[in-house]
C-alpha cells in the first residue's frame, strides 16, 4: 500500500473508533401519561417484551459465537440483518467481532405500542455496555399475528442525546407513520432531507432545519481527512446518500413529536488519481474486499441507520439526530 493509502486507512480507522466510543449521557424516555387515539391498552406486557428481546439476543449470541449469519433471518430483518451479517463477515476475516456490535441484555426503558393490529413495533433502550459504550435503541417489528418479532434496527445513542417522553409500558404509546403531520416535517421528509444534508453538507437547502450532530461531524472529519490525502495525487471522492423505501419506524411521543428510526444507504466512491490504486480505508473495508484486485477506483456501500427526534410544528425546535449506526456492507473495485 502506498503512503497516501496508508494515511487514508489510518484516518478512516481513527474516525470509526471515535464514533464507536461516543457515549450517551442523555435522557432516556421517562414515564408520562399518553395513550393512543383509540384509548387501548397494549397487547404486550413488559414480561413479554423481555422474553422476545431475550430470544432475539440468544439468536445473535449463537451467530456471534459461530461468526456466521446463518439463522439470523429468523430473528433479524431490514437494516439490522444487513449490518450484523456484514459485522460477522468481517469477524470471519479478522477473528474478532467489533465491540460496537455489543447489545446489553438489560434495558433502561421500553416503549410498547397500543396498536392491536399489524405490522407493529416496540422501541427499547438498553443500558450502557460493561465497557461504558453508549445505550442502544432497539426497534423490534412484528409483521403479522403469527410471525416472530424481529430486530429490525439498532442505533447507538449519542452523548447528550435528549429523547422525548413516552407513556409507561402499561399505558402504551401511539405508533406513528411516515407521513405524520403536525410536525416541523413529516418523518419521511425528515429522512429524505437529512440524506440530502449528508450528501451536500452546508450547501444543502435543508441544512438549517437540523441541529448539528455527532454523525454528521464524524462523517465530515473523515471526508476532509481522506480528501487531504487524495488531493496530493489529484484523486477524487464522492458520497451519495439515499433513504431506503419502506425502511422507517415511528413512535409518537407524549409531547407531540416523533421518534423516527430509518435506513439511509450510501455509496462512497474514491478514485486514487495519477495511475495509483485505490485501497480500502479501514480494517472493515479491507476484510470485505478480501482478495479482490484493486484498481484506480473503489466503491464502498454503507448501511446507515439514523434515529431522529422530530419536534411539533409550533415548538420552534429543529430536527436532531439522536443516534446512528454506520456499517460497510460491500467493497468493490470499479
Amino acid at each position: 500500500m502506498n503512503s497516501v493509502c496508508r494515511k487514508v486507512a489510518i484516518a478512516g480507522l481513527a474516525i470509526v473508533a471515535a464514533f464507536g466510543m461516543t457515549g450517551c449521557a442523555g435522557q432516556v424516555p421517562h414515564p408520562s401519561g399518553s395513550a393512543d387515539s383509540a384509548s387501548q391498552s397494549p397487547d404486550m406486557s413488559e414480561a413479554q417484551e423481555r422474553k422476545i428481546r431475550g430470544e432475539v439476543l440468544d439468536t445473535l449470541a449463537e451467530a456471534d459465537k459461530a461468526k456466521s449469519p446463518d439463522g439470523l433471518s429468523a430473528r433479524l430483518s431490514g437494516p439490522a440483518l444487513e449490518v450484523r451479517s456484514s459485522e460477522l463477515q468481517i469477524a470471519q476475516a479478522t477473528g474478532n467481532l467489533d465491540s460496537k456490535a455489543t447489545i446489553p441484555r438489560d434495558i433502561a426503558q421500553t416503549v410498547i405500542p397500543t396498536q392491536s393490529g399489524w405490522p407493529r413495533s416496540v422501541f427499547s433502550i438498553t443500558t450502557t455496555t460493561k465497557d461504558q459504550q453508549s445505550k442502544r435503541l432497539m426497534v423490534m417489528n412484528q409483521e403479522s399475528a403469527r410471525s416472530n418479532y424481529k430486530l429490525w434496527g439498532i442505533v447507538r445513542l449519542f452523548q447528550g442525546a435528549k429523547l422525548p417522553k413516552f407513556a409507561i409500558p402499561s399505558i402504551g404509546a401511539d405508533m406513528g407513520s411516515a407521513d405524520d403531520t403536525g410536525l416541523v416535517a413529516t418523518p419521511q421528509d425528515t429522512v429524505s432531507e437529512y440524506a440530502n444534508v449528508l450528501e451536500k453538507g452546508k450547501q444543502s437547502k435543508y441544512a438549517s432545519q437540523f441541529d448539528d450532530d455527532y454523525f454528521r461531524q464524524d462523517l465530515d472529519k473523515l471526508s476532509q481527512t481522506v480528501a487531504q490525502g487524495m488531493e496530493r495525487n489529484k484523486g477524487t471522492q464522492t458520497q451519495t446518500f439515499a433513504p431506503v423505501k419502506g425502511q422507517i419506524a415511528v413512535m409518537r411521543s407524549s409531547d407531540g413529536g416523533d421518534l423516527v428510526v430509518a435506513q439511509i444507504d450510501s455509496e462512497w466512491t474514491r478514485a486514487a488519481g495519477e495511475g495509483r490504486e485505490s485501497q480500502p480505508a479501514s480494517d472493515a473495508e479491507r476484510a470485505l474486499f478480501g482478495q479482490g484486485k484493486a484498481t484506480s477506483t473503489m466503491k464502498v456501500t454503507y448501511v446507515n441507520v439514523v434515529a431522529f427526534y422530530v419536534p411539533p410544528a409550533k415548538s420552534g425546535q429543529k430536527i436532531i439526530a439522536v443516534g446512528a449506526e454506520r456499517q460497510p456492507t460491500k467493497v468493490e473495485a470499479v
Side-chain angles (χ1 to χ4, degrees):
M1 185 186 299
N2 62 51
S3 61
V4 171
C5 290
R6 282 197 296 271
K7 292 177 181 178
V8 168
I10 292 170
L13 284 169
I15 296 299
V16 169
F19 179 70
M21 294 177 65
T22 300
C24 175
Q27 301 173 358
V28 174
H30 293 295
S32 183
S34 173
D36 74 352
S37 57
S39 299
Q40 298 173 335
S41 297
D43 285 345
M44 178 187 289
S45 67
E46 289 180 84
Q48 289 172 318
E49 183 277 340
R50 183 165 54 251
K51 180 176 183 295
I52 290 166
R53 180 166 36 84
E55 291 170 348
V56 168
L57 294 178
D58 286 346
T59 298
L60 278 170
E62 291 176 8
D64 293 350
K65 183 177 180 180
K67 294 185 177 64
S68 170
D70 293 347
L72 279 183
S73 61
R75 282 297 187 174
L76 273 72
S77 66
L81 179 58
E82 291 186 67
V83 168
R84 184 50 63 103
S85 295
S86 171
E87 289 171 337
L88 289 170
Q89 183 181 346
I90 293 167
Q92 290 173 0
T94 63
N96 294 294
L97 186 65
D98 195 314
S99 63
K100 73 180 180 64
T102 302
I103 305 176
R105 285 189 173 262
D106 294 329
I107 61 169
Q109 174 76 20
T110 188
V111 185
I112 297 175
T114 55
Q115 274 80 358
S116 58
W118 291 271
R120 57 187 177 189
S121 304
V122 175
F123 285 29
S124 296
I125 297 95
T126 74
T127 57
T128 57
T129 65
K130 291 181 179 179
D131 59 353
Q132 297 304 301
Q133 292 183 50
S134 66
K135 298 170 183 174
R136 275 64 163 146
L137 168 59
M138 303 174 63
V139 179
M140 294 181 290
N141 287 348
Q142 186 183 34
E143 293 300 319
S144 66
R146 296 184 181 277
S147 63
N148 286 331
Y149 270 93
K150 297 184 179 184
L151 179 62
W152 167 85
I154 186 165
V155 299
R156 289 171 289 163
L157 296 175
F158 298 145
Q159 180 180 9
K162 294 182 179 180
L163 302 183
K165 295 180 180 180
F166 292 95
I168 58 175
S170 60
I171 294 176
D174 188 15
M175 278 176 52
S177 66
D179 57 359
D180 275 357
T181 58
L183 307 166
V184 296
T186 69
Q188 190 61 66
D189 285 346
T190 292
V191 179
S192 298
E193 292 164 6
Y194 188 77
N196 187 270
V197 173
L198 289 176
E199 186 169 319
K200 298 182 179 179
K202 294 180 180 178
Q203 302 305 313
S204 170
K205 63 181 179 180
Y206 305 113
S208 63
Q209 296 176 199
F210 294 87
D211 258 339
D212 198 13
D213 62 75
Y214 285 107
F215 187 52
R216 287 161 59 195
Q217 290 173 10
D218 286 347
L219 283 179
D220 186 57
K221 289 176 184 176
L222 176 57
S223 181
Q224 289 184 25
T225 302
V226 171
Q228 290 171 3
M230 299 185 80
E231 284 172 0
R232 298 187 185 97
N233 300 301
K234 299 181 180 180
T236 61
Q237 63 168 329
T238 59
Q239 291 197 67
T240 58
F241 295 82
V244 179
K245 185 177 181 180
Q247 298 301 305
I248 185 170
V250 183
M251 195 71 75
R252 294 171 183 160
S253 67
S254 54
D255 66 359
D258 277 2
L259 183 58
V260 178
V261 184
Q263 179 180 355
I264 299 173
D265 283 356
S266 61
E267 289 185 347
W268 187 11
T269 303
R270 304 186 296 264
E274 294 189 345
R276 297 175 181 269
E277 291 183 346
S278 184
Q279 298 288 339
S282 67
D283 286 345
E285 287 190 8
R286 190 172 297 107
L288 291 172
F289 190 54
Q291 300 301 312
K293 181 174 175 56
T295 64
S296 61
T297 304
M298 180 159 286
K299 182 171 72 174
V300 185
T301 301
Y302 278 83
V303 169
N304 307 286
V305 187
V306 187
F308 306 90
Y309 171 58
V310 186
K314 297 181 179 180
S315 65
Q317 300 175 350
K318 294 183 178 181
I319 304 166
I320 185 167
V322 295
E325 195 61 65
R326 175 172 167 83
Q327 180 68 24
T329 57
K330 184 178 182 180
V331 181
E332 55 188 325
V334 295

